Amino acid sequence: MQVDSSQKKAIEHDRGPMLVLAGPGSGKTLVITRRTQWLIEKAGVAPGNILVVTFTRAAAGEMRSRFDRLMGGRHLPVSFGTFHAVFFTILKYAYQYKVENILMENEKYDILRDIVHRIDVEMDDEKDFLMNIAGDISRVKGDMMSLEHFYSVNCSKDVFDEIYHEYNKKLKRMRRIDYDDMLLQTWHLFKERPDILLAWQKKYRYILIDEFQDINRIQYEVIRLLAKPENNLFVVGDDDQSIYRFRGAKPEILLGFTKDYPEAKLTILNKNYRSTGAIVNRAAQLIDHNEQRYKKDFKAFREKGEEVLVKAFVKPADQYLKMIREIVGLHEKRGVPWEEIAVIFRTNLQMAGLVEQLMMYNVPFVMKDSVPNIYEHWIAKDIFSYMNLAFGGNRREDYLRIINRPNRYISRAYLDEDPVNLSNLKDYYENKEWMLERIEQLEYDLYMLASMGPYPAIQYIRHSIGYDAYLKEYAAYRGIKAEDLLEVLDDLMDKSHAHSTWEEWFQAIGQYSETLKLRARQKFEESEGIRLLTMHGAKGLEYDVVYIPDANGGMTPHKKALTASEMEEERRMFYVAMTRAKNDLRVYFTRERYGKQAEMSPFVGEFLAF
């Protein structure tokens, strides 16, 4: 395969540092493998002195396979691996670590669960809390932060500090290291043992790094040590595709590379071999609104192609129905394989509405990201507990969920029997008239709910019983946005419209929940069906046809994006989604959501503005 002039410049770079800015579909994998070949065959570098670093095992495996094919099937001793794999190899030689010393993800969550239970942390959703705390711990280690300067948004500083210390003490007792420790311990090893560092510097004289925009602080610091003194550091990345700040990625490292290495050469791979000219031009128009980036002149290798389709709908359900009809038509009439059609959402929470419709119309699909089941959310469980009691149930578990939601000031200690008998509860409060009135009001509310269908029942719980007011008070107490909680109720009400009875809805919920579990076990790459994925999950993939639904303000950019840097990352995510499309890109938005007015995403206006 021929290479263009920018690719050739990168491949044949001789010594010293180089930054290669590789736009979408510009052939970065080709450049890395061809450069590795060039170093061996033209520059006379021993294969064992070359290290190629990627971010995932799959990417490392693909890079190795392509390199081996390039070398005629010869398996030369070039090192291909992830940061963690490379650094763990270094630690193995230094500390005799074995695979058994690595803490598995399930073990990490078991340890954290034990700690938060022991110190009695208040939380509503244990799974989400543990996931967020694990992310916080990773950020502290990955950013090489002092704990005293870190404040978690998931709990108080005292609680987080205690969890952090207990977690690390437990790992030390078990002689285990987590994935972040692999990086930290390698850095400490190199700092404390210059002789060991020197040995690895002699081993890896040429270092090539893929997806450099995703690097974090500790990875970069270790690589900088490893690359000395020759600094034959060849980094390939795209500042416009840096979308993993939440995982600790620091795009400013790529932007500051030429300051750290003033002698570094720079080349830009700006020719897109994947997408049509129409898609490339629209995506370039969008990303040019970002200020913290290298300016680039994008070009498409292929002809202009079909214009990007932008369409408005009244409600999300209208949008999903139209998409399904189009997707079936693309497959049956145009012969587009299911696997070449992707629907890319800003978050996995958005997928639920389309998933339900795809199930109804029997359209095959596979999800890259697991879809959170809204029916398992603690707010949904509260609603269902109200209804279980309204239909004559008297489980203690249901009463404990709702008895003080809203607050009726009823002591949980008095609900000491299972099943619960409200007559006994009244006996506890026989001398407190105001408490008896609250219990009687609860009985009346449950009586009223028993005759209601799903939609009016949720409405009654929200406004007549006062559940909305409870959520607002709870949000204020926890320091979170009430609208995020109320949106769960809005979504439940929206879904309830399709069902006239609770029996019918509960049956549909059971089928939906079971299907989600089955789909979650499917292998994304191997299963038949259209692809459902998030903007984060879409990175590095490509499809013949791409849909971006829900292109509304508050969804993309996400309502939580408040600062200029957060807004720029949101724009990069939209750009990544757009540039996954090879031939056909369709962007849809709605005029209303949950009965409220919705606006088109400003990003759509930005890429249409020429």
Side-chain angles (χ1 to χ4, degrees):
M1 179 180 173
Q2 291 293 320
V3 295
D4 61 38
S5 57
S6 296
Q7 292 171 336
K8 188 172 188 294
K9 179 182 176 183
I11 291 167
E12 297 181 1
H13 170 68
D14 189 13
R15 294 174 178 272
M18 181 176 223
L19 171 60
V20 180
L21 297 173
S26 61
K28 67 182 180 63
T29 304
L30 176 144
V31 164
I32 292 172
T33 53
R34 283 286 188 91
R35 170 163 174 73
T36 307
Q37 178 189 31
W38 184 88
L39 285 172
I40 295 167
E41 295 182 348
K42 302 297 184 183
V45 178
N49 292 145
I50 302 172
L51 171 65
V52 181
V53 186
T54 66
F55 276 82
T56 67
R57 281 184 294 178
E62 172 64 18
M63 198 85 74
R64 158 61 76 182
S65 297
R66 289 181 65 166
F67 173 71
D68 287 350
R69 288 197 297 272
L70 199 59
M71 303 305 290
R74 289 182 295 157
H75 193 79
L76 299 177
V78 175
S79 295
F80 288 85
T82 64
F83 281 102
H84 291 107
V86 172
F87 293 177
F88 186 66
T89 298
I90 292 169
L91 294 176
K92 274 200 303 184
Y93 283 102
Y95 301 130
Q96 288 72 55
Y97 279 142
K98 298 178 181 177
V99 174
E100 302 85 70
N101 294 112
I102 301 174
L103 188 76
M104 297 294 102
E105 283 299 290
N106 63 311
E107 294 178 305
K108 173 190 286 188
Y109 287 108
D110 286 343
I111 292 170
L112 290 174
R113 187 177 295 107
D114 288 344
I115 293 169
V116 299
H117 285 178
R118 191 167 65 250
I119 63 180
D120 197 23
V121 178
E122 183 182 342
M123 53 191 162
D124 296 301
D125 188 309
E126 182 181 273
K127 184 179 177 183
D128 280 353
F129 181 79
L130 294 178
M131 207 160 66
N132 292 335
I133 289 296
D136 285 341
I137 292 171
S138 186
R139 271 187 288 280
V140 171
K141 293 182 179 183
D143 289 346
M144 306 174 75
M145 292 178 68
S146 166
L147 190 58
E148 64 181 300
H149 297 134
F150 182 80
Y151 292 85
S152 172
V153 298
N154 300 296
C155 58
S156 70
K157 177 157 182 57
D158 289 343
V159 168
F160 178 75
D161 288 359
E162 184 173 358
I163 293 172
Y164 185 86
H165 286 305
E166 288 298 317
Y167 170 74
N168 285 309
K169 280 195 281 186
K170 178 71 172 177
L171 262 58
K172 195 170 183 180
R173 286 196 300 269
M174 296 169 67
R175 199 168 186 264
R176 296 288 188 90
I177 57 172
D178 63 21
Y179 286 96
D180 300 298
D181 291 330
M182 288 183 198
L183 313 180
L184 270 174
Q185 288 195 17
T186 305
W187 183 79
H188 284 298
L189 175 68
F190 282 172
K191 282 290 188 179
E192 294 163 7
R193 292 291 302 274
D195 56 326
I196 292 177
L197 172 60
L198 180 61
W200 287 103
Q201 287 171 337
K202 288 180 178 177
K203 165 71 173 167
Y204 294 132
R205 294 182 51 239
Y206 287 81
I207 301 172
L208 297 81
I209 302 179
D210 187 21
E211 303 286 8
F212 188 68
Q213 75 279 351
D214 295 332
I215 201 165
N216 69 17
R217 176 57 57 189
I218 186 67
Q219 290 165 340
Y220 185 50
E221 294 302 329
V222 175
I223 286 295
R224 291 194 73 187
L225 289 172
L226 197 57
K228 289 179 179 179
E230 296 178 62
N231 291 329
N232 293 320
L233 191 53
F234 183 88
V235 300
V236 182
D238 183 6
D239 51 316
D240 292 332
Q241 296 186 72
S242 178
I243 60 174
Y244 294 121
R245 189 181 287 275
F246 73 100
R247 290 185 189 165
K250 298 287 183 187
E252 53 269 26
I253 292 175
L254 182 149
L255 292 170
F257 185 79
T258 52
K259 292 179 181 176
D260 291 337
Y261 296 96
E263 74 279 23
K265 298 291 191 294
L266 170 68
T267 188
I268 300 175
L269 309 184
N270 62 350
K271 189 173 288 185
N272 188 316
Y273 293 90
R274 173 193 300 150
S275 306
T276 62
I279 295 168
V280 170
N281 292 339
R282 293 297 183 187
Q285 176 71 12
L286 171 71
I287 202 62
D288 199 45
H289 284 76
N290 272 5
E291 294 183 3
Q292 299 301 314
R293 64 186 290 264
Y294 286 99
K295 296 294 182 183
K296 310 172 189 72
D297 180 22
F298 292 104
K299 296 181 176 65
F301 178 72
R302 295 197 285 141
E303 297 178 9
K304 182 170 174 57
E306 291 183 27
E307 187 51 87
V308 175
L309 177 64
V310 176
K311 195 164 186 177
F313 297 85
V314 177
K315 295 179 293 189
D318 303 333
Q319 169 190 235
Y320 298 147
L321 187 58
K322 177 67 172 174
M323 285 167 57
I324 289 171
R325 287 173 177 163
E326 289 179 352
I327 287 168
V328 171
L330 286 166
H331 178 68
E332 294 182 351
K333 295 175 184 175
R334 277 181 34 183
V336 181
W338 295 121
E339 296 72 30
E340 281 295 321
I341 303 171
V343 184
I344 303 177
F345 296 85
R346 169 61 182 85
T347 71
N348 55 0
L349 288 169
Q350 295 168 250
M351 293 184 194
L354 179 59
V355 165
E356 288 180 316
Q357 293 292 317
L358 291 170
M359 290 178 186
M360 188 182 301
Y361 287 94
N362 203 29
V363 175
F365 68 93
V366 60
M367 306 174 297
K368 185 175 186 193
D369 308 272
S370 62
V371 176
N373 188 345
I374 188 172
Y375 303 119
E376 293 178 356
H377 194 286
W378 64 270
I379 291 176
K381 289 179 178 178
D382 284 355
I383 300 297
F384 297 153
S385 285
Y386 265 110
M387 296 315 301
N388 289 339
L389 297 173
F391 294 140
N394 51 11
R395 292 189 311 170
R396 182 171 181 265
E397 177 186 350
D398 286 324
Y399 273 110
L400 287 174
R401 286 201 73 88
I402 61 90
I403 199 66
N404 286 313
R405 296 181 177 184
N407 203 342
R408 298 177 178 92
Y409 301 96
I410 295 172
S411 172
R412 292 168 64 92
Y414 289 166
L415 297 169
D416 56 357
E417 55 186 352
D418 193 6
V420 170
N421 186 327
L422 286 184
S423 295
N424 294 340
L425 184 62
K426 288 179 184 178
D427 290 341
Y428 285 121
Y429 290 108
E430 61 181 340
N431 296 321
K432 296 180 179 178
E433 189 65 32
W434 66 93
M435 292 302 295
L436 292 175
E437 287 177 7
R438 288 175 179 152
I439 298 169
E440 287 166 1
Q441 180 64 47
L442 173 60
E443 288 179 308
Y444 174 77
D445 288 333
L446 295 176
Y447 169 77
M448 293 295 292
L449 287 171
S451 60
M452 296 181 185
Y455 184 84
I458 298 175
Q459 190 86 304
Y460 187 89
I461 293 168
R462 295 184 69 170
H463 303 297
S464 297
I465 293 179
Y467 192 78
D468 271 21
Y470 157 72
L471 286 183
K472 289 173 184 175
E473 289 175 11
Y474 174 81
Y477 169 70
R478 290 297 303 271
I480 58 180
K481 288 186 176 180
E483 63 188 79
D484 292 342
L485 302 179
L486 295 173
E487 197 170 280
V488 176
L489 284 170
D490 290 338
D491 200 4
L492 282 171
M493 289 189 70
D494 199 48
K495 294 179 187 308
S496 74
H497 269 301
H499 307 281
S500 56
T501 68
W502 281 97
E503 182 181 14
E504 176 192 320
W505 196 18
F506 281 144
Q507 186 176 356
I509 289 171
Q511 292 172 347
Y512 173 76
S513 300
E514 190 58 34
T515 303
L516 274 190
K517 289 175 185 175
L518 290 172
R519 297 285 182 177
R521 291 196 288 268
Q522 288 181 314
K523 291 189 176 179
F524 183 78
E525 295 81 5
E526 300 170 12
S527 301
E528 181 188 54
I530 66 169
R531 275 31 187 163
L532 307 185
L533 58 170
T534 63
M535 293 179 179
H536 285 112
K539 180 85 164 50
L541 302 175
E542 58 182 50
Y543 301 95
D544 187 52
V545 182
V546 167
Y547 285 87
I548 305 176
D550 299 328
N552 290 89
M555 306 292 274
T556 175
H558 197 277
K559 60 190 174 186
K560 291 183 179 177
L562 302 174
T563 66
S565 64
E566 288 170 340
M567 190 62 74
E568 292 212 346
E569 179 142 334
E570 291 287 322
R571 189 177 284 109
R572 291 195 293 267
M573 278 189 266
F574 204 99
Y575 172 76
V576 165
M578 292 179 74
T579 54
R580 300 312 94 195
K582 293 188 280 189
N583 299 305
D584 192 340
L585 174 61
R586 306 180 185 195
V587 181
Y588 293 166
F589 65 96
T590 61
R591 296 295 186 189
E592 67 176 59
R593 192 173 185 84
Y594 305 135
K596 300 169 189 170
Q597 185 178 349
E599 301 293 334
M600 180 183 77
S601 168
F603 296 155
V604 178
E606 289 174 359
F607 76 69
L608 287 178
F610 79 102

